[in-house]
Amino acid sequence: MPLTPHQLSIIESPTNAKIFLSGPAGCGKTTAAVERMRALLEAGVPGESILMLTPQRTLQEPYLDLLASSQRGAGGEVTPATLGGLARRVVELFWPLAAEPAGFAHPDQQPRFLTLETAQYYMARLVRPLLEQGHFESVTMDRNRLYSQILDNLNKAALVGFPHTEIGVRLNAAWLGEPAQRRVYADAQDCANRFRAYCLEHNLLDFSLQMEVFVNILWPQPVIRDWLNRSYRHLIYDNVEEDAPRAHDLLREWLPDFESALLVYDEGGGYRKFLGADTETGQSLAQLCEEQIVWQESLVVTEPIARLNNALAVAILPESNSFLFPLSSDDNQISPTEAFSVIQSRFYPALLDQIAAETARLLEEGLSPSEIVILAPYLSDALRFALMQRLEARGVPVRSHRPSRSLRDEPASHALLTLSMLAHPEWEFRPPRFDVAYALMQSIEGLDLVRAALLAEITYRLRDFTLAPFEGLKAEAQERITYLLGERFSRLRDWILFYRERERLPFDHFLRKLFGEVLSQPGFGFHSNFDSVRVAASLVESVKKFRLALDLDIAEVGREYITMLHEGVLAAQYLEGWSSQTADAVLVAPAYTFLMMNRPVSVQIWLDAGSSGWYERLLQPLTHPYVLSRGWVPGRVWTDAEEVEASREGMARLVSGLLHRCREHVYIGTSELGESGFEQRGELLRAFQKVLQNSVQS
């Protein structure tokens, strides 16, 4: 696509310009920023002097594509980073200056940096005994969510800029409901205090502690500021609105020291508010830039989509114009109803059938699979499986991405972990027969579940934890399974038995060996299944980080890792699943996940329009994204009025964000009875009904 004059003006700005560029999604801001980076490099600016910041690594993809491009000239490497990544780099490099002032018990020893997974592992070790003593007895939720919400409180304190010891006080002061909830906040504060003390005692740095050490201790020191100023002379900072107040505070102090800067701000953004994003402190950075440029014209949105955006914004939040799109035409003959169609049924399975059929029809008409996304407020495992099965049955290439989905729920990692248990009898994990059958089906190409179940029933001996040889089966069973599949089973079985007799490898090394020597070979399940390969790579990376962060014997790493997965501890974020280049396939994802991919498509299909998930926040008994934000006045009570207002604004922001990333058409999927069998009358459905009523009246 040729560049617009507005984009060229940004790209060709002097190499000492400081620009704050704002506008709605889809007006070409990121493209201009990427080309600005190219222009700086071509102008002779050393690559290593350019710092490229985003709030989340997944938002760096367009810039990384440029840096990996063959068209780019030779030179130093640009530094792509998040504030958290930069903090870790600085803390690791200047650890001797930070260890003692931060209060670490062993300042003469090296620190260990924790991932999300390993932080939850240590949190679980501390909280498990407290749960048995009565902590959180009034809370009913999965343990992994409990651990993550305590960590989230610590992260909020670090990102917003208040002491972690004030978490409970702030939450308690804003509470107006049952007194039992105050005990929950006290327990959450106690666990946060214990975790922080444990980290200081054992030289562990989770994300919150990395941020506090960097911002409070290292950043004010002249030697650190001097090193950063000498290292980075040019800044490109995209999606400013999705970052936290502490990041904006740091940039407010640092910005005058850069030779040039380009800050990109999405109007109507702030989708990561539940992770600490603050649009107001991000907008305030505009005052420090010599030029403030505002773009309004979208390169994505058509006139009907723009009118639908405005009609929904008025229906959801009539007293605000924050999400209105400037119209390019005064032609009232263009109706917002032209931009969407309704797919309706009485029962939910029938709705999924219709959506699969409509998706297949769009592809038959020539639309590329990557130009279609199917979105839901939440993507349960049942919905994901049911929808993808229907699409695959119609020959529709499809992929899904749900960042909250644990690695243990992925079929490929489930198979790898089951085979790992079979190869390590000393772990004393005895997978049930069905798990073994499922692992065999995933591991052996051509083996269906029926024959895999028969093979596991005959060969897997749970009592003595062995696999019998295929050759010992009766001729009738061998013929039913087939000799070809039996030979592949024998190769897998022999490999496992041979490994049992050998010296143990680190768990991630074992997984690499199993994948490389068996599962990736012709005739096995991972040979041509690239989705399974992606999951296997994520699992290996997860195990490697886990092993490096923990002081455990080789034999204990695998046992502890699988124990952690059984508790449902989430996997960290891996970039492979976020990549828009993963496949030319229809994407099935939660709505917010698609927004953070930051790419436009031609057609969007919104599932469950009557669901309350488009409107209501997830229940978080141990934390609160609004009360623990900088904009909230400590001591103020959070009432139902604030909850309703936040929900309405959140839905308006979400809907507007989706429509700004839609070129042609939106399909609204709704059923009288939802996924759980209950009648659906959500706020999003009511907003569409208002749009239809207003259209008829006009």
Side-chain angles (χ1 to χ4, degrees):
M1 181 182 293
L3 298 170
T4 67
H6 290 312
Q7 290 174 322
L8 289 172
S9 68
I10 296 291
I11 297 165
E12 297 170 357
S13 296
T15 55
N16 63 349
K18 293 182 180 178
I19 302 169
F20 189 92
L21 175 61
S22 63
C27 61
K29 302 186 302 300
T30 294
T31 299
V34 171
E35 293 303 317
R36 169 67 171 175
M37 178 188 289
R38 188 199 301 272
L40 288 174
L41 294 171
E42 291 177 351
V45 172
E48 62 273 15
S49 71
I50 301 175
L51 175 64
M52 190 272 292
L53 278 179
T54 58
Q56 185 171 301
R57 289 192 302 164
T58 59
L59 295 168
Q60 297 172 2
E61 185 181 347
Y63 300 91
L64 298 179
D65 287 344
L66 167 64
L67 297 177
S69 169
S70 59
Q71 300 175 1
R72 188 198 144 198
E77 287 299 321
V78 174
T79 302
T82 62
L83 182 63
L86 184 65
R88 169 168 177 165
R89 207 170 302 170
V90 173
V91 171
E92 194 169 19
L93 186 61
F94 294 97
W95 172 248
L97 296 178
E100 192 168 346
F104 286 93
H106 307 285
D108 56 326
Q109 299 177 12
Q110 287 298 309
R112 279 184 287 166
F113 294 92
L114 303 181
T115 64
L116 170 64
E117 295 167 328
T118 50
Q120 289 193 72
Y121 170 78
Y122 283 112
M123 181 66 75
R125 287 178 56 177
L126 291 170
V127 175
R128 272 197 216 107
L130 299 177
L131 294 175
E132 296 170 2
Q133 297 171 18
H135 272 52
F136 305 111
E137 59 185 357
S138 63
V139 176
T140 304
M141 62 191 301
D142 293 338
R143 287 194 176 187
N144 66 292
R145 288 188 60 211
L146 189 148
Y147 305 147
S148 65
Q149 287 186 29
I150 299 171
L151 290 170
D152 185 56
N153 283 341
L154 286 165
N155 294 343
K156 290 279 197 328
L159 290 171
V160 172
F162 61 86
H164 75 276
T165 52
E166 294 182 7
I167 294 168
V169 173
R170 289 176 176 240
L171 292 171
N172 187 62
W175 179 249
L176 194 61
E178 293 292 331
Q181 182 63 28
R182 301 185 186 279
R183 170 66 190 274
V184 172
Y185 292 146
D187 290 345
Q189 180 68 72
D190 180 45
C191 291
N193 293 343
R194 289 170 184 260
F195 181 76
R196 177 57 58 85
Y198 186 88
C199 288
L200 292 173
E201 178 64 29
H202 295 86
N203 280 29
L204 304 175
L205 286 100
D206 69 316
F207 176 80
S208 65
L209 197 47
Q210 291 173 42
M211 288 298 303
E212 290 191 10
V213 170
F214 172 55
V215 177
N216 296 340
I217 297 174
L218 293 178
W219 171 253
Q221 298 193 33
V223 65
I224 309 297
R225 293 285 294 273
D226 181 63
W227 179 81
L228 287 170
N229 288 336
R230 283 187 288 107
S231 299
Y232 305 116
R233 304 303 306 142
H234 303 269
L235 172 69
I236 295 177
Y237 186 13
D238 204 346
N239 290 103
V240 173
E241 78 291 342
E242 300 297 340
D243 226 333
R246 219 72 186 282
H248 300 148
D249 293 346
L250 185 143
L251 262 297
R252 190 173 292 106
E253 297 179 28
W254 195 1
L255 204 54
D257 297 329
F258 284 101
E259 290 181 21
S260 78
L262 174 59
L263 277 60
V264 179
Y265 182 96
D266 258 13
E267 299 286 352
Y271 312 116
R272 298 173 79 250
K273 182 164 287 190
F274 66 99
L275 292 175
D278 194 312
T279 56
E280 293 182 8
T281 56
Q283 180 68 53
S284 68
L285 294 178
Q287 304 166 2
L288 302 176
C289 296
E290 297 151 4
E291 294 183 71
Q292 293 92 37
I293 299 175
V294 180
W295 290 351
Q296 293 293 344
E297 184 179 352
S298 174
L299 305 178
V300 173
V301 175
T302 57
E303 188 73 9
I305 292 286
R307 289 180 181 271
L308 175 60
N309 175 85
N310 291 359
L312 284 171
V314 170
I316 297 168
L317 211 62
E319 67 275 14
S320 172
N321 60 2
S322 300
F323 303 104
L324 296 181
F325 196 88
L327 299 177
S328 58
S329 170
D330 294 329
D331 186 1
N332 291 325
Q333 297 301 314
I334 302 175
S335 170
T337 58
E338 297 176 22
F340 74 95
S341 303
V342 178
I343 303 176
Q344 190 171 11
S345 70
R346 175 165 173 74
F347 298 108
Y348 199 73
L351 173 65
L352 299 184
D353 289 335
Q354 291 182 56
I355 286 173
E358 183 63 20
T359 304
R361 187 190 67 79
L362 290 170
L363 296 185
E364 289 171 2
E365 292 182 352
L367 194 62
S368 170
S370 61
E371 288 296 316
I372 304 173
V373 294
I374 303 175
L375 307 173
Y378 308 121
L379 189 63
S380 67
D381 286 336
L383 173 57
R384 177 181 180 272
F385 174 79
L387 184 55
M388 294 187 70
Q389 187 182 51
R390 285 167 169 80
L391 291 167
E392 289 168 353
R394 292 180 176 271
V396 175
V398 60
R399 69 184 181 98
S400 79
H401 182 52
R402 196 184 77 191
S404 63
R405 182 175 168 86
S406 173
L407 277 175
R408 70 171 183 168
D409 296 326
E410 297 287 353
S413 60
H414 189 277
L416 284 167
L417 294 170
T418 301
L419 295 176
S420 300
M421 296 178 204
L422 294 175
H424 296 84
E426 69 275 9
W427 289 353
E428 299 180 350
F429 288 117
R430 299 291 187 265
R433 188 166 278 110
F434 178 80
D435 284 5
V436 174
Y438 193 72
L440 293 175
M441 181 186 73
Q442 293 292 327
S443 303
I444 299 174
E445 189 175 19
L447 184 63
D448 57 72
L449 186 56
V450 174
R451 287 184 288 183
L454 176 63
L455 190 58
E457 181 71 30
I458 298 173
T459 62
Y460 180 45
R461 297 169 181 170
L462 192 56
R463 179 175 297 179
D464 54 2
F465 201 50
T466 59
L467 287 171
F470 180 77
E471 295 77 10
L473 273 62
K474 294 180 180 179
E476 180 184 355
Q478 289 184 344
E479 291 175 1
R480 194 172 163 192
I481 294 168
T482 75
Y483 291 99
L484 175 63
L485 298 179
E487 186 271 335
R488 293 172 182 171
F489 166 77
S490 296
R491 286 173 58 188
L492 179 60
R493 172 185 177 272
D494 292 344
W495 191 94
I496 290 173
L497 293 180
F498 180 69
Y499 179 80
R500 280 189 175 193
E501 305 301 322
R502 296 182 61 188
E503 184 179 352
R504 294 294 182 256
L505 296 171
F507 188 24
D508 53 313
H509 294 192
F510 164 82
L511 292 172
R512 290 177 186 272
K513 186 177 180 68
L514 173 61
F515 175 84
E517 296 182 0
V518 184
L519 299 181
S520 64
Q521 299 302 310
F524 290 89
F526 290 51
H527 178 65
S528 57
N529 189 330
F530 297 110
D531 188 57
S532 293
V533 172
R534 175 187 60 79
V535 172
S538 296
L539 180 64
V540 170
E541 183 182 352
S542 170
V543 173
K544 178 182 177 182
K545 290 178 177 178
F546 185 80
R547 174 174 61 85
L548 295 177
L550 271 61
D551 186 19
L552 295 173
D553 294 336
I554 288 178
E556 295 177 351
V557 171
R559 183 189 298 113
E560 287 293 322
Y561 186 85
I562 291 176
T563 299
M564 180 188 71
L565 280 187
H566 283 166
E567 285 199 1
V569 175
L570 301 180
Q573 189 180 91
Y574 297 99
L575 295 180
E576 294 91 343
W578 286 89
S579 174
S580 63
Q581 307 301 321
T582 301
D584 184 19
V586 174
L587 173 67
V588 179
Y592 279 104
T593 298
F594 172 70
L595 284 177
M596 293 313 297
M597 289 180 167
N598 202 25
R599 67 180 182 91
V601 293
S602 296
V603 173
Q604 295 179 7
I605 301 174
W606 298 1
L607 275 174
D608 299 340
S611 167
S612 61
W614 293 97
Y615 176 78
E616 295 177 353
R617 290 190 301 117
L618 275 173
L619 179 63
Q620 295 178 295
L622 276 62
T623 186
H624 199 298
Y626 292 94
V627 171
L628 296 182
S629 68
R630 182 168 292 183
W632 189 256
V633 179
R636 181 181 167 194
V637 175
W638 180 265
T639 65
D640 288 343
E642 275 86 9
E643 185 68 39
V644 169
E645 185 63 25
S647 297
R648 291 170 61 227
E649 182 182 340
M651 185 169 72
R653 190 183 304 277
L654 171 60
V655 167
S656 180
L658 292 176
L659 291 175
H660 276 74
R661 291 163 175 81
C662 183
R663 295 190 182 95
E664 297 176 6
H665 204 74
V666 176
Y667 289 87
I668 308 303
T670 179
S671 59
E672 292 181 29
L673 302 178
E675 183 181 1
S676 302
F678 297 103
E679 190 174 5
Q680 292 193 316
R681 294 181 179 177
E683 295 298 322
L684 179 61
L685 191 58
R686 291 175 181 170
F688 272 101
Q689 289 170 343
K690 289 180 183 178
V691 172
L692 289 170
Q693 291 169 0
N694 293 336
S695 178
V696 170
Q697 292 171 1
S698 61

